[in-house]
Amino acid sequence: AAADGTTASQHCAGEVGTAPVVAPVAVSPALTSTAPASTAIKDGMKRACPTVTDAASFAAARAALRQMGGAAALRAELEGLGFIAEGKLTTGTKPFNVFARVASGAMAQPGMEAETAALGARSERFMIACNRPENDEHWESADAEWVGKASMGKRHRFMLVRDLSWSCFNVLTFGMEEDVIELRAAVAMLEEMEAAAFDFAANTEGWSGSVGLYFHVYGHASVNALH
């Protein structure tokens, strides 16, 4: 997520809402797994790492996941919940993964096609998504109703990855499958996302050079897709 302006009273691992969407095309029903549904790892991550806001706490989160069985165990959890099938994020409605659906083209957010164009050539790999209008409106609210839900700044956008591969699902697991090539590819993608975010800010009216860049780490993210 990228935010510009004075930030609201929440940290980068907080929960956020999602924007209203419309469905321009039909999609296949969600693929589901016969494995029992469980959120044991997600719940365990939240307990073990109540906040993930810097390099040290991020390293601790990755260590905690390894103790819980690592990337393979997390993938099994997501497959059991129906969020992953055949190595890809599912884009049906049960379960409902809004950012996977938007990234796949199954759903569209009004106005975001024009904002994605601000990414230039990088729009072939990434796209811009937005929060719910009411979450944007309450970006600086300190009310308990909005803390952890409202947008993180006066201007708040999500960057999505068009690639729905399991390996891109969340920053927590990047390179954790002990594949050096995959790890290097993930680092390169993160560097490209950073460059794309600054290009977006430079090419979009109203945005400044003072931009905060954040990821939602699994256990604290409400949507199981990189954003």
Side-chain angles (χ1 to χ4, degrees):
D4 183 20
T6 305
T7 56
S9 55
Q10 62 187 79
H11 54 70
C12 66
E15 298 287 311
V16 298
T18 53
V21 290
V22 295
V25 295
V27 296
S28 301
L31 298 174
T32 57
S33 169
T34 57
S38 170
T39 58
I41 293 179
K42 181 174 183 176
D43 297 339
M45 288 299 303
K46 189 177 295 186
R47 289 193 302 270
C49 305
T51 60
V52 185
T53 57
D54 55 23
S57 55
F58 180 64
R62 284 170 66 88
L65 177 57
R66 288 190 177 95
Q67 292 178 350
M68 297 177 198
L74 177 51
R75 176 173 175 170
E77 175 168 296
L78 293 170
E79 288 176 338
L81 294 167
F83 284 105
I84 293 177
E86 299 180 353
K88 300 278 188 179
L89 293 177
T90 57
T91 58
T93 57
K94 293 182 180 180
F96 188 87
N97 189 335
V98 63
F99 287 150
R101 287 174 60 79
V102 171
S104 71
M107 304 185 78
Q109 294 182 314
M112 291 301 100
E113 183 175 352
E115 293 202 20
T116 294
L119 297 175
R122 293 189 174 95
S123 64
E124 295 182 4
R125 189 175 191 185
F126 310 115
M127 63 190 303
I128 299 299
C130 61
N131 217 331
R132 292 181 181 274
E134 60 269 28
N135 291 356
D136 284 340
E137 180 182 347
H138 292 88
W139 70 273
E140 59 183 343
S141 175
D143 292 345
E145 177 185 359
W146 294 105
V147 173
K149 178 180 178 182
S151 293
M152 297 169 65
K154 186 175 182 179
R155 297 174 181 82
H156 183 189
R157 288 293 184 264
F158 303 106
M159 185 179 296
L160 309 184
V161 180
R162 295 185 187 273
D163 184 355
L164 297 182
S165 298
W166 137 257
S167 60
C168 297
F169 123 87
N170 191 273
V171 69
L172 179 64
T173 59
F174 282 3
M176 196 174 281
E177 294 181 300
E178 310 303 331
D179 186 325
V180 174
I181 295 177
E182 178 189 312
L183 178 58
R184 289 174 177 169
V187 171
M189 184 180 75
L190 292 175
E191 291 174 342
E192 187 175 1
M193 289 184 77
E194 180 182 40
F198 285 111
D199 283 349
F200 170 80
N203 295 331
T204 304
E205 184 178 358
W207 284 69
S208 71
S210 179
V211 179
L213 305 177
Y214 309 91
F215 280 107
H216 285 192
V217 175
Y218 188 75
H220 296 279
S222 59
V223 182
N224 292 321
L226 191 69
H227 63 287

